[in-house]
Amino acid sequence: MDSMNFDAIMAQVKEKLIHFCMTSGLKLIGAILLLIIGFKIVNIFGKKIKKMKIYEKLDPTARTFMRSLIVISLKIVLVIAAAIIVGVPMASMVAVIGSAGLAIGLALQGSLSNIAGGFIILVFRPFKVGDFISTVDATGTVESINLFYTKVVTVDNKVVMVPNSIISNQSLTDYSSKDERRVDLVFNTSHDADFEKVKAILLENAKKHPLVLEKPAVEAFLTEHSTNAMAFSLRAWCKTDDYWTVFFEITEGVKKSFSENGIKIPSQKVDVHINN
């Protein structure tokens, strides 16, 4: 190839580059700038939402979920706008979105079901932010409900991200939904313990506790009479927030009362047979 042919080819390449930059190139740059600047603005807006009065008026359970939904929706709108700037026809875009939506829907069934699960949680309210819940995957306090996951903080301060699809389809226990809870305690004593005295000690420890409610009344009774021990059950009601305080303090109080009154707790017996 001689120098004249090379110069001619380079001139054509240069001309095409200039034409591309003047037409499609400017549109492409504009679309890229729109995405870069737009995403930054949306992220800033997502942070500003937290300070809006209308956001503060929302139920805590719905706040994080709605904010995530708004931010993701705005970013999808930006992507569509960028495609329009580049020159993608709307008819073609609708067809592409339709076919791509089907493929993406099949590929992201889990993610879409998580979004649906989030809506189910918001509508039917099986629990709310701040509740102490127990599921197959986690036990702890609900810190936030996001678009795809529910954030649960365990009692030892671990964070468990439970998919909304799982948490909305599994059995769930909400320990915070009621204002009052019953504390169930079981105490074992030896067979020679005074039956009535044990019951009196249990009732006294529960009734004198300042956090135990008067109604429903405290109950104590013998629930099991096995070969090794007698099992007594104590039932006392308290406010849900006071549950663990009542549980631990009554347990300690009964142990002290048993020791003061000579009531023995049975020890495990092991029979050893030696064959000569």
Side-chain angles (χ1 to χ4, degrees), residues 49-257:
I49 291 177
K50 294 181 179 179
K51 300 179 180 179
M52 294 182 177
K53 291 184 178 180
I54 190 172
Y55 181 80
E56 294 177 353
K57 292 179 180 178
L58 287 174
D59 188 282
T61 304
R63 288 178 185 174
T64 308
F65 183 87
M66 294 305 298
R67 186 170 64 88
S68 301
L69 183 62
I70 290 171
V71 170
I72 292 175
S73 299
L74 289 175
K75 288 182 178 181
I76 292 174
V77 171
L78 283 173
V79 172
I80 294 174
I84 294 173
I85 290 175
V86 172
V88 178
M90 282 301 297
S92 301
M93 188 181 299
V94 171
V96 170
I97 291 175
S99 58
L102 179 60
I104 293 172
L106 293 173
L108 300 177
Q109 289 183 30
S111 297
L112 295 176
S113 62
N114 286 336
I115 296 175
F119 277 110
I120 290 173
I121 293 171
L122 290 178
V123 173
F124 294 100
R125 299 295 180 89
F127 59 88
K128 62 182 183 298
V129 171
D131 281 2
F132 189 87
I133 66 171
S134 177
T135 68
V136 176
D137 299 293
T139 298
T141 303
V142 178
E143 186 171 279
S144 63
I145 301 172
N146 300 307
L147 194 59
F148 299 101
Y149 296 91
T150 293
K151 186 177 181 180
V152 178
V153 181
T154 63
V155 291
D156 55 348
N157 210 33
K158 294 177 183 177
V159 175
V160 182
M161 303 299 289
V162 185
N164 289 335
S165 60
I166 294 177
I167 206 169
S168 62
N169 287 297
Q170 289 184 348
S171 59
L172 177 145
T173 302
D174 188 349
Y175 296 98
S176 305
S177 61
K178 299 295 184 180
D179 294 332
E180 299 174 359
R181 282 188 64 187
R182 191 179 75 184
V183 181
D184 292 334
L185 296 167
V186 177
F187 299 93
N188 293 321
T189 67
S190 59
H191 287 291
D192 58 0
D194 187 320
F195 173 81
E196 294 297 337
K197 192 172 186 179
V198 172
K199 287 183 62 177
I201 289 173
L202 297 181
L203 291 172
E204 180 186 1
N205 273 274
K207 289 180 178 179
K208 73 179 182 181
H209 196 287
L211 298 178
V212 171
L213 303 176
E214 293 183 3
K215 294 183 179 180
V218 176
E219 296 177 304
F221 39 81
L222 179 67
T223 52
E224 186 178 354
H225 191 278
S226 65
T227 55
N228 296 323
M230 293 190 297
F232 292 84
S233 291
L234 174 65
R235 296 176 179 175
W237 289 80
C238 66
K239 294 294 183 182
T240 300
D241 293 340
D242 300 328
Y243 179 86
W244 289 111
T245 301
V246 172
F247 183 96
F248 292 125
E249 290 184 356
I250 289 182
T251 301
E252 293 176 0
V254 170
K255 173 60 176 71
K256 291 178 182 177
S257 296

Side-chain angles (χ1 to χ4, degrees), residues 1-16:
M1 182 182 292
D2 55 27
S3 59
M4 293 187 64
N5 288 336
F6 178 78
D7 291 340
I9 292 172
M10 291 303 298
Q12 290 179 359
V13 171
K14 183 178 179 181
E15 183 179 349
K16 289 181 178 180

